[in-house]
């Protein structure tokens, strides 16, 4: 332990520059996560900017160490992916007036329809859950569908 302290000068305090970097990371994370929809999304943003701050601090300490850290982050980014939750193969996508037609045609079938937009973080947060529900519960008398509200003008208003 004393060898490590002697090698780095025995000082384990953060200097002003390091405090500025961590304060900047905290501010960016707070601004980026104002409308965060889940803890996972919040932590993902937090860790991404913490890695960027650590890269800057590693670069200040040792360029070679920062290059190794950057390569490690890139390898982890490429190789470690969250599992993709797929939808049911019978998932029906409704466009224009196809939803009312399908509901009139299938009187004995219960339809669970998600009205969504591709750019909404809340809709993207629901996407894996809706996909899991559709895989598990799709049967002859209960089917799942999706309706993009931008491509089907007027249809979402009919169903609230």
């Amino acid at each position: 332990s004393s060898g490590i302290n002697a090698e780095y000068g025995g000082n384990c305090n953060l200097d002003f520059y390091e405090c500025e970097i961590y304060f900047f990371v905290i501010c960016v994370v707070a601004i980026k996560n104002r409308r965060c929809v889940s803890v996972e999304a919040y932590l993902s943003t937090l860790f991404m900017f913490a890695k960027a701050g650590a890269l800057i601090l590693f670069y200040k300490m040792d360029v070679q160490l920062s290059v190794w850290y950057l390569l490690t982050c890139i390898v982890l980014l490429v190789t470690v992916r969250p599992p993709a939750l797929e939808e049911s193969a019978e998932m029906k996508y409704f466009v224009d007036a196809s939803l009312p037609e399908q509901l009139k045609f299938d009187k004995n079938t219960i339809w669970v329809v998600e009205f969504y937009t591709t750019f909404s973080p809340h809709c993207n947060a629901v996407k894996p859950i809706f996909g899991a529900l559709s895989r598990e519960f799709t049967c002859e008398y209960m089917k799942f569908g999706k309706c993009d509200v931008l491509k089907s003008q007027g249809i979402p208003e009919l169903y609230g």
Side-chain angles (χ1 to χ4, degrees):
S1 173
S2 62
I4 293 173
N5 284 337
E7 182 180 343
Y8 292 108
N11 187 1
C12 193
N13 297 327
L14 295 175
D15 66 3
F16 184 72
Y17 179 73
E18 294 165 338
C19 289
E20 274 184 335
I21 290 174
Y22 282 123
F23 186 71
F24 176 74
V25 167
I26 290 169
C27 290
V28 168
V29 167
I31 291 169
K32 289 283 291 176
N33 286 329
R34 286 180 299 189
R35 294 186 210 152
C36 202
V37 294
S38 69
V39 175
E40 287 177 345
Y42 182 84
L43 291 176
S44 174
T45 305
L46 174 70
F47 290 144
M48 180 182 65
F49 285 104
K51 288 176 190 173
L55 180 65
I56 293 169
L57 293 175
F58 279 136
Y59 182 78
K60 181 183 174 203
M61 186 172 78
D62 183 13
V63 175
Q64 186 179 9
L65 187 60
S66 67
V67 170
W68 281 111
Y69 181 74
L70 179 64
L71 289 174
T72 303
C73 289
I74 291 171
V75 166
L76 287 174
L77 179 70
V78 170
T79 59
V80 179
R81 296 275 180 195
L85 297 176
E86 297 178 8
E87 301 167 338
S88 169
E90 292 89 23
M91 177 75 72
K92 173 105 171 140
Y93 286 88
F94 297 106
V95 182
D96 296 331
S98 63
L99 177 59
E101 291 171 7
Q102 185 72 43
L103 293 177
K104 288 178 186 174
F105 178 72
D106 286 341
K107 295 282 188 188
N108 296 329
T109 303
I110 297 172
W111 280 93
V112 180
V113 180
E114 175 191 13
F115 294 94
Y116 72 98
T117 61
T118 56
F119 58 84
S120 169
H122 299 288
C123 292
N124 289 331
V126 171
K127 185 178 179 178
I129 298 166
F130 193 77
L133 288 172
S134 71
R135 275 193 325 276
E136 187 171 341
F137 294 108
T138 296
C139 63
E140 183 180 350
Y141 297 107
M142 183 171 182
K143 297 184 180 176
F144 289 79
K146 287 186 167 189
C147 182
D148 188 344
V149 296
L150 295 178
K151 293 179 182 176
S152 304
Q153 296 293 328
I155 300 298
E157 287 84 12
L158 293 175
Y159 301 100

